[in-house]
């Protein structure tokens, strides 16, 4: 009986110890889970902190660049204020130099873009009159440069593009008046049968290039007009290659409208000479005064 009670008591103690171990193991597992959760939360917080640091670094770089830009603008403003406060800098002189630069730039653009040679000459003459009012000896060499460039403009007879277009129009008026009767005339020395049947039978070579039918001549005339229009458009945009190609094609249409004659040969020679004409100005000194003026003003 005593042995059975002792055994029962020992079994109960063993069960209680097992329950405590199970409870401790469960508690340890819960603590491990909680610890893993805290570690995950710390990692998430760490990643968020890293992202905030990166954003803050990028913001600092932007602010630093803006601060450098503000510093540069402040330096430029300080330089401008110091120049305006300089007693040697005269407001009237600065205004005259601005007007001179504007006139020189306007004259150069009128010549290069619009081909207005007279307008460019007037602009340079006005710039010379304005520059005469500047009494600073530093701009003495600028007056000499302006005189040389103005003399170069006066030496030009006409703007090449305008002259080429005028010659093209004159040549087009002559080429458009093509002879309407291209039949071969009967020579007085021809045989009697040829003279007798000349009004009934017209013998022509099969390889003749001149168009005879009315529809063919209308098409040839339209092609000639088209090529002359293309040549005029190429001259407008100073396209030397396109200008020559259009005149070469127009020469081919001339052979369809005109029979072989001294007039046709003369028109061909005129057209070939016109194709070799330059369409742009060749004035090495153009823009030298404007460039020198800007360099002098930048050095002040």
């Amino acid at each position: 009986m005593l042995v059975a009670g002792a055994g029962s008591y020992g079994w109960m103690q063993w069960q209680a110890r097992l329950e405590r171990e199970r409870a401790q193991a469960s508690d340890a597992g819960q603590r491990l889970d909680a610890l893993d959760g805290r570690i995950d939360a710390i990692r998430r917080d760490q990643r968020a902190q890293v992202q905030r640091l990166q954003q803050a670094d990028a913001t600092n770089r932007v602010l630093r660049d803006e601060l450098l830009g503000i510093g540069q603008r402040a330096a430029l403003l300080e330089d401008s204020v110091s120049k305006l406060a300089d007693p040697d800098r005269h407001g009237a002189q600065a205004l005259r130099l601005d007007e001179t630069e504007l006139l020189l730039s306007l004259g150069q653009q009128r010549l290069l873009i619009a081909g207005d040679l007279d307008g460019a000459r007037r602009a340079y003459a006005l710039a010379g009159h304005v520059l005469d009012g500047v009494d600073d000896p530093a701009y003495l060499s600028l007056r000499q440069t302006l005189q040389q460039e103005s003399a170069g403009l006066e030496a030009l007879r006409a703007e090449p593009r305008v002259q080429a277009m005028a010659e093209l129009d004159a040549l087009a008026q002559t080429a458009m008046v093509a002879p309407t009767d291209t039949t071969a005339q009967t020579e007085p020395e021809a045989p009697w049968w040829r003279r007798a049947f000349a009004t009934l039978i017209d013998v022509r070579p099969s390889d003749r290039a001149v168009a005879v039918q009315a529809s063919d001549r209308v098409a040839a005339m339209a092609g000639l007009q088209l090529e002359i229009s293309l040549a005029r458009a190429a001259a407008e945009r100073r396209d030397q290659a396109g200008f020559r190609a259009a005149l070469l094609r127009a020469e081919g249409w001339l052979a369809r409208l005109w029979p072989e004659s001294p007039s046709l040969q003369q028109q061909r020679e005129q057209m070939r000479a016109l194709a070799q004409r330059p369409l742009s100005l060749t004035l090495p000194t153009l823009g030298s005064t404007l460039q020198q003026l800007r360099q002098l003003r930048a050095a002040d």
Side-chain angles (χ1 to χ4, degrees):
M1 192 67 180
L2 184 59
V3 173
S8 176
Y9 177 76
W11 185 81
M12 292 176 62
Q13 291 295 325
W14 181 68
Q15 290 292 330
R17 188 176 64 183
L18 288 178
E19 290 295 334
R20 288 195 299 272
E21 290 178 354
R22 291 194 187 97
Q24 290 177 356
S26 177
D27 187 30
Q30 292 177 358
R31 290 181 179 179
L32 287 175
D33 293 339
L35 184 60
D36 291 338
R38 291 183 63 185
I39 291 174
D40 292 338
I42 291 173
R43 288 175 178 173
R44 288 194 297 270
D45 293 340
Q46 184 180 7
R47 286 193 295 268
Q49 291 294 335
V50 170
Q51 292 178 356
R52 293 192 188 97
L53 289 176
Q54 292 176 352
Q55 294 176 357
D57 189 18
T59 304
N60 289 334
R61 284 196 298 269
V62 173
L63 293 176
R64 184 168 59 252
D65 294 339
E66 292 181 354
L67 184 60
L68 290 175
I70 292 174
Q72 292 176 356
R73 287 192 292 270
L76 292 175
L77 289 174
E78 184 179 357
D79 186 30
S80 300
V81 171
S82 64
K83 288 183 178 181
L84 291 175
D86 189 358
D88 296 334
R89 182 181 178 88
H90 306 289
Q93 175 177 319
L95 183 61
R96 288 182 179 275
L97 292 176
D98 289 338
E99 187 177 358
T100 303
E101 184 175 355
L102 177 61
L103 288 171
L104 291 175
S105 178
L106 180 62
Q108 183 178 357
Q109 291 174 3
R110 289 291 301 172
L111 186 60
L112 295 179
I113 298 176
D116 187 3
L117 183 58
D118 294 333
R121 289 170 178 170
R122 288 193 295 269
Y124 272 75
L126 291 174
H129 293 318
V130 174
L131 192 60
D132 290 338
V134 179
D135 54 357
D136 193 346
Y139 294 94
L140 180 60
S141 61
L142 184 65
R143 295 192 185 93
Q144 297 176 353
T145 305
L146 179 58
Q147 292 176 359
Q148 294 175 0
E149 191 171 355
S150 299
L153 288 175
E154 293 295 336
L156 293 176
R157 295 182 179 179
E159 209 273 335
R161 180 181 59 177
V162 176
Q163 187 175 1
M165 291 179 63
E167 294 183 8
L168 179 63
D169 292 337
L171 182 61
Q173 292 178 1
T174 305
M176 291 301 179
V177 187
T180 56
D181 185 10
T182 60
T183 59
Q185 301 296 327
T186 305
E187 299 86 354
E189 297 80 4
W192 65 269
W193 59 268
R194 185 172 181 181
R195 294 195 304 269
F197 295 100
T199 58
L200 300 176
I201 302 174
D202 185 15
V203 180
R204 300 188 184 93
S206 60
D207 58 346
R208 189 172 182 180
V210 179
V212 176
Q213 299 297 327
S215 58
D216 295 339
R217 296 189 63 80
V218 169
M221 184 65 70
L224 179 60
Q225 292 177 351
L226 176 61
E227 296 303 335
I228 291 177
S229 300
L230 291 176
R232 186 179 292 108
E236 283 285 352
R237 62 179 185 271
R238 302 180 193 273
D239 184 5
Q240 189 72 51
F243 183 70
R244 292 177 180 175
L247 289 180
L248 180 62
R249 293 191 297 268
E251 183 180 345
W253 287 113
L254 278 178
R256 293 283 295 165
L257 293 171
W258 287 77
E260 288 294 336
S261 61
S263 299
L264 176 61
Q265 187 63 26
Q266 182 181 2
Q267 291 185 23
R268 283 176 175 174
E269 293 176 356
Q270 292 177 356
M271 194 166 290
R272 292 170 184 174
L274 180 59
Q276 300 302 322
R277 281 190 172 274
L279 299 177
S280 301
L281 284 170
T282 56
L283 186 61
T285 59
L286 183 63
S288 57
T289 308
L290 180 60
Q291 183 180 3
Q292 184 178 352
L293 175 60
R294 289 174 176 172
Q295 290 176 354
L296 290 174
R297 301 195 69 182
D300 291 342

